[in-house]
Amino acid sequence: MKNTFIGNAILAIVLVACNNVNEKTNTVRSDSSVLQQQTGKSASTAIASIKGIVAGYLQLKNALSNDNGNDAANAGKAITGALQNFDTAALKPDQKKVYADVQDDIKEHAEHIGMNADKIAHQREHFEMLSKDIYDLVKAFPAEQTLYKDYCPMYNNGKGAIWLSETKEIKNPYLGKKMPTCGEIKEEIK
Amino acid sequence: MRLGKKIVILLPVAFAAIQFIQPARNKSGQVMPTDISNTLNIPPLVDTLLKTSCYDCHSNNTNYPWYANLQPLGWILNKHILKAKMELNFSDFGSYSSRRQRSKLKSIASQVNDNTMPLASYTWLHKNSKFSKEAKALINDWALKSIETIATGNKK
């Protein structure tokens, strides 16, 4: 009898632990819907909205440069919110094509980064892929601010990775405070 | 009756009762046109590794283990399957955009290299699903090579 009791207690704990996972994803969802309400009014044109995506991305980049997974997660949620408000009606056909291509990918990376505040290495993996998406997106739209495409050859076991920055100064988001100055400007986008 | 005694009696009853709640099965029994095997070249060895270690959660066909009938273990498995398929479904791979396919392959390589996938709870119950160093290298090489073929448009 004692054994069954212990067995059941273990099962109960497993069940509770499992439910926690669910609650976590739920909070993330309600967070991003709050964001949607907040940003909903301002984002009425397509141009304003890509600004929102880029702003979220830069916020993310700066959080990762500071090794701050929590801020990075919040920036990920900001990007998800900006995507939800993106108005595709005003897009030109070639922009529509680029946007359709990057949209799902950006959304997924942003969601992952938003959900993994405690796993910064994982956030950086998604940030690398996200950076390529944002680069392609930015190139398809008229620039509203000067951006720099930076490259660090050391990340990813020497395979290297790019990111976008709003400043000339190099602050590496992949290696963070361990190696803040690794990288160089490869392109000026304006 | 003391509370402790009540719990001791009631828990097995609850345990028996939940056995009747069985989640729907994830078993389509067919290979979809969008299956990854119709999109990319997969060497037989890699194919076997993926099928043994990933398909139970990341495809439309789960090979149900014995514990799937034992609740709540079956529920946990079911939950993993639902979540895993949202992230990556090998049966649907062909329907992803090229960009997403590349992202997924990259994630596959990094998840396997970091030992995040297959899930530890799964390798614990399925000893043969755990990857050796060689197996990890095989998956890694295949994933990175496939990213190149997608980038250049030389798909299958």
Side-chain angles (χ1 to χ4, degrees):
Chain A
M1 206 54 171
K2 203 171 176 191
N3 272 341
T4 11
F5 176 70
I6 293 169
N8 279 319
I10 291 172
L11 289 176
I13 291 165
V14 169
L15 266 182
V16 170
C18 209
N19 277 338
N20 276 343
V21 173
N22 238 13
E23 270 159 31
K24 205 166 134 199
T25 40
N26 282 343
T27 5
V28 169
R29 274 198 203 108
S30 53
D31 273 4
S32 55
S33 62
V34 168
L35 251 170
Q36 187 182 12
Q37 282 160 7
Q38 284 169 347
T39 49
K41 279 172 218 116
S42 60
S44 54
T45 65
I47 289 182
S49 204
I50 177 184
K51 214 175 190 169
I53 298 171
V54 173
Y57 171 84
L58 293 173
Q59 188 189 335
L60 169 63
K61 185 257 307 171
N62 290 328
L64 291 177
S65 311
N66 290 325
D67 298 326
N68 191 327
N70 266 326
D71 285 359
N74 286 331
K77 288 173 201 164
I79 296 173
T80 315
L83 281 177
Q84 277 166 348
N85 289 306
F86 196 83
D87 180 9
T88 50
L91 293 184
K92 293 191 211 118
D94 54 328
Q95 293 174 337
K96 213 170 227 161
K97 214 171 120 205
V98 173
Y99 185 70
D101 184 31
V102 296
Q103 162 191 32
D104 286 349
D105 212 52
I106 295 183
K107 178 159 172 278
E108 229 179 294
H109 296 316
E111 279 172 0
H112 264 273
I113 291 165
M115 279 188 289
N116 286 287
D118 51 344
K119 290 187 214 140
I120 197 159
H122 190 65
Q123 288 179 321
R124 284 177 167 138
E125 278 170 10
H126 283 283
F127 176 76
E128 186 200 346
M129 297 186 261
L130 177 66
S131 292
K132 287 190 193 133
D133 297 342
I134 300 286
Y135 175 76
D136 291 346
L137 184 69
V138 166
K139 292 291 267 187
F141 286 79
E144 291 163 76
Q145 76 187 104
T146 306
L147 292 172
Y148 301 93
K149 177 175 141 185
D150 299 337
Y151 174 77
C152 159
M154 278 174 65
Y155 180 64
N156 221 345
N157 300 322
K159 285 200 201 79
I162 65 135
W163 75 94
L164 297 181
S165 172
E166 74 282 25
T167 60
K168 269 194 163 151
E169 186 198 356
I170 295 281
K171 270 171 85 187
N172 192 308
Y174 294 106
L175 306 171
K177 290 183 180 144
K178 216 167 56 188
M179 183 75 75
T181 55
C182 172
E184 55 180 333
I185 298 176
K186 286 278 174 189
E187 185 183 345
E188 192 175 334
I189 309 161
K190 54 179 179 187
Chain B
M1 228 189 317
R2 274 194 306 122
L3 183 68
K5 210 165 177 190
K6 263 193 204 155
I7 291 173
V8 169
I9 291 169
L10 279 178
L11 271 175
V13 174
F15 179 66
I18 64 173
Q19 299 311 314
F20 292 101
I21 310 170
Q22 300 276 352
R25 293 266 148 146
N26 177 45
K27 212 158 180 62
S28 82
Q30 48 183 319
V31 178
M32 314 271 284
T34 51
D35 194 85
I36 190 167
S37 58
N38 292 324
T39 312
L40 295 174
N41 270 315
I42 310 179
L45 225 54
V46 173
D47 190 52
T48 310
L49 290 173
L50 294 178
K51 289 217 163 89
T52 318
S53 302
C54 319
Y55 268 53
D56 276 355
C57 296
H58 290 285
S59 82
N60 290 343
N61 279 301
T62 303
N63 232 331
Y64 278 92
W66 59 270
Y67 61 82
N69 292 314
L70 182 70
Q71 308 314 339
L73 291 178
W75 298 345
I76 295 169
L77 179 68
N78 187 53
K79 217 170 189 175
H80 279 161
I81 294 171
L82 293 178
K83 238 180 126 188
K85 274 171 62 175
M86 261 177 13
E87 296 272 341
L88 166 68
N89 187 343
F90 286 115
S91 308
D92 265 352
F93 193 84
S95 71
Y96 298 167
S97 69
S98 304
R99 187 178 291 266
R100 234 174 130 218
Q101 292 182 358
R102 288 198 300 267
S103 286
K104 289 298 162 195
L105 286 163
K106 196 139 197 223
S107 289
I108 291 170
S110 62
Q111 299 279 313
V112 168
N113 283 334
D114 300 349
N115 298 321
T116 320
M117 288 288 152
L119 286 182
S121 58
Y122 184 81
T123 50
W124 185 65
L125 285 159
H126 302 246
K127 294 291 180 216
N128 65 338
S129 72
K130 203 170 161 110
F131 285 151
S132 63
K133 220 170 134 192
E134 293 75 28
K136 286 202 279 190
L138 272 173
I139 301 264
N140 189 60
D141 291 352
W142 164 76
L144 297 186
K145 228 177 255 151
S146 301
I147 291 174
E148 306 265 297
T149 59
I150 294 173
T152 52
N154 285 330
K155 287 202 246 174
K156 194 172 180 177

